[in-house]
Amino acid sequence: MSLRNALLVKLLDGEATGYELAGRFGTSAANYWSVRPAQLYAELTRMEEDGLVAAETVVQSKRPNKRLFSLTAAGIGELQRYAREPSGRMSVKDELMIKVAGIDVSDRAALLGDIARRRQASVDMLRSYEATRQDMLDGRDEETFVQTAPRIGPYLTLLRGIASERGTIAWCDTAARIIAERHNRADTQEHPITA
Amino acid sequence: MSLRNALLVKLLDGEATGYELAGRFGTSAANYWSVRPAQLYAELTRMEEDGLVAAETVVQSKRPNKRLFSLTAAGIGELQRYAREPSGRMSVKDELMIKVAGIDVSDRAALLGDIARRRQASVDMLRSYEATRQDMLDGRDEETFVQTAPRIGPYLTLLRGIASERGTIAWCDTAARIIAERHNRADTQEHPITA
DNA sequence: GTGCTCATGTAAGGTGTTACATGATTGG
DNA sequence: CCAATCATGTAACACCTTACATGAGCAC
């Protein structure tokens, strides 16, 4: 039931519609959890039934009506209970790595393109994370922020995201370099595995 | 159908039983894919039906019989076809980050314990990855290895794993430091959010 | 004699994805 | 005029996890 708790945490940032929550996952939680809207609306309905969130329907004239969700005391209680359980391991699923692991039997050029796209996605994400960080710090240095801000949780996960995107960019560069190094040599000397 | 392809890639390392494949995922692919044995046996059976792998039953007297799986030409073809498709984004799911994002309403000490455990797990994994790297290099420097080894795919994904564990360890240290910094200050000045 | 490794699987349930369905407003 | 944004949901399917089931050998 991690999705539940991920939603509860996102609601600490303030009440939101399902649509807005989906957006919050896309921008600031993408480095540790992901959801599709379809799953999210279903889960929010169940959470309301269980009393973890309160939903208020806001009637709108120019747009479809929306449901604004907010945390209940029971919701915060559930989050606290969850936080006391030991965490499972991080789970990563990355198609690109499957393909790279098999590069010696596959199309090198296609994979280099894939790696370049991944790199660009990380550059964009990093830029966005760093802008968010500046917004949070709001001119203060980190020490001051850490000691005075109302919350540090989102800052800590943001640091994780920043480090992770930097790591991805560095890996993409290294991988592209190594693939090129081997390819140059391979013009004169062939490698056995070609299927 | 990424699991399929992850299994095909693992079979590039040589024929194996389902049990051995589960082990290969645990040790060297944990940083980009994960499987449970139950899922794996089911998928291997389907892959055999689809002709992507060949299964040979090995009768054993002292242990239950085993099924040794190996790649077929169709299996390698599928891997090559898959590698030409553009990759989806990496998906990460990390319970610890959900809890850390909510640290300002939760039990700080419990989370620090969780972070310490995560750090230790990464230290252990890093040690194991670095041993694997030395085995692969086998005394050669990286440049020589890259230009002469029969395969570089597993080396590239291993580098990713090493970078990722180092990143995790560094983040755990930073997070613990920041939490402590805030806590020391919090003895004299309280923060509003305690739910 | 306790627990780990090898070795395979089934059944049930939970989680996550894709496709479908609707439709006005806003910005370029 | 086309695309994106706001806003919600259902149905069907695919995928993954957990619990259960079995059982011998080997190391401490």
Side-chain angles (χ1 to χ4, degrees):
Chain A
M1 290 265 130
S2 294
L3 173 56
R4 249 169 203 237
N5 290 280
L7 285 168
L8 292 172
V9 164
K10 282 292 144 193
L11 285 171
L12 286 174
D13 292 333
E15 54 177 16
T17 64
Y19 187 83
E20 281 167 344
L21 285 167
R24 287 186 195 174
F25 273 87
T27 54
S28 64
N31 58 101
Y32 65 88
W33 212 267
S34 67
V35 217
R36 310 275 147 159
Q39 197 193 347
L40 197 146
Y41 288 115
E43 187 61 32
L44 282 169
T45 301
R46 263 175 262 132
M47 287 167 78
E48 193 194 356
E49 280 160 19
D50 295 346
L52 303 177
V53 296
E56 189 201 348
T57 300
V58 177
V59 180
Q60 296 187 124
S61 51
K62 304 207 169 179
R63 295 203 166 278
N65 292 346
K66 60 185 180 183
R67 290 197 296 153
L68 259 184
F69 293 94
S70 52
L71 279 176
T72 62
I76 292 182
E78 159 60 13
L79 195 52
Q80 290 169 334
R81 186 204 56 72
Y82 176 72
R84 257 177 251 115
E85 289 179 355
S87 301
R89 21 175 74 221
M90 170 169 77
S91 132
V92 176
K93 302 212 165 158
D94 192 350
E95 281 190 275
L96 178 59
M97 290 301 139
I98 296 177
K99 293 172 191 180
V100 167
I103 192 171
D104 304 288
V105 296
S106 300
D107 181 341
R108 197 165 37 216
L111 277 182
L112 280 169
D114 234 22
I115 290 170
R117 272 191 298 281
R118 170 62 57 87
R119 188 188 191 283
Q120 189 54 51
S122 284
V123 165
D124 294 344
M125 209 62 198
L126 179 59
R127 205 160 284 167
S128 140
Y129 286 160
E130 274 177 337
T132 305
R133 178 160 183 262
Q134 291 313 317
D135 283 355
M136 277 190 193
L137 291 178
D138 196 24
R140 293 166 287 187
D141 61 18
E142 189 183 65
E143 209 189 321
T144 308
F145 169 80
V146 161
Q147 295 185 345
T148 60
R151 291 175 61 207
I152 56 164
Y155 183 74
L156 293 173
T157 56
L158 187 64
L159 289 185
R160 184 87 171 93
I162 289 172
S164 148
E165 298 304 343
R166 287 199 181 132
T168 298
I169 294 166
W171 179 85
C172 287
D173 291 339
T174 303
R177 195 205 74 224
I178 289 179
I179 294 165
E181 264 175 38
R182 179 176 178 85
H183 186 212
N184 293 341
R185 177 76 179 185
D187 287 337
T188 42
Q189 187 193 329
E190 266 311 311
H191 297 284
I193 297 181
T194 322
Chain B
M1 290 265 128
S2 293
L3 173 55
R4 257 175 192 232
N5 289 280
L7 285 167
L8 291 172
V9 163
K10 282 292 144 194
L11 285 171
L12 286 173
D13 292 333
E15 54 177 16
T17 64
Y19 187 83
E20 281 167 344
L21 285 167
R24 287 186 194 174
F25 272 88
T27 54
S28 65
N31 59 101
Y32 65 88
W33 212 266
S34 66
V35 217
R36 309 275 146 159
Q39 198 193 344
L40 198 147
Y41 288 115
E43 187 61 32
L44 283 169
T45 301
R46 263 175 262 133
M47 288 166 79
E48 194 194 356
E49 281 161 17
D50 295 346
L52 303 176
V53 296
E56 190 202 348
T57 301
V58 178
V59 180
Q60 296 187 125
S61 53
K62 304 206 168 176
R63 294 203 168 280
N65 293 346
K66 59 184 179 182
R67 290 198 296 154
L68 260 184
F69 293 93
S70 51
L71 279 175
T72 61
I76 293 182
E78 160 60 14
L79 196 52
Q80 289 169 334
R81 186 204 57 71
Y82 176 71
R84 257 178 251 114
E85 291 178 353
S87 301
R89 21 174 76 223
M90 170 169 79
S91 131
V92 176
K93 300 213 166 160
D94 192 349
E95 282 191 275
L96 178 58
M97 289 302 139
I98 297 177
K99 293 171 191 180
V100 167
I103 192 171
D104 304 288
V105 296
S106 298
D107 182 339
R108 196 166 37 216
L111 277 181
L112 280 169
D114 234 22
I115 290 170
R117 271 190 299 280
R118 169 63 58 87
R119 187 188 192 284
Q120 189 54 50
S122 284
V123 166
D124 294 344
M125 209 63 197
L126 179 58
R127 206 160 283 168
S128 141
Y129 287 160
E130 275 178 337
T132 305
R133 178 159 183 262
Q134 291 312 317
D135 283 355
M136 278 192 192
L137 291 178
D138 195 25
R140 294 165 287 187
D141 61 20
E142 187 181 276
E143 211 189 321
T144 309
F145 169 81
V146 161
Q147 295 186 343
T148 61
R151 290 174 63 206
I152 56 164
Y155 182 74
L156 293 173
T157 55
L158 188 64
L159 288 185
R160 183 86 171 95
I162 289 173
S164 148
E165 299 304 342
R166 286 198 181 134
T168 298
I169 294 166
W171 178 84
C172 288
D173 291 339
T174 303
R177 194 204 76 224
I178 289 180
I179 295 165
E181 265 175 39
R182 180 177 178 83
H183 186 211
N184 293 341
R185 176 77 180 186
D187 287 338
T188 41
Q189 188 192 327
E190 265 313 310
H191 297 284
I193 297 180
T194 323

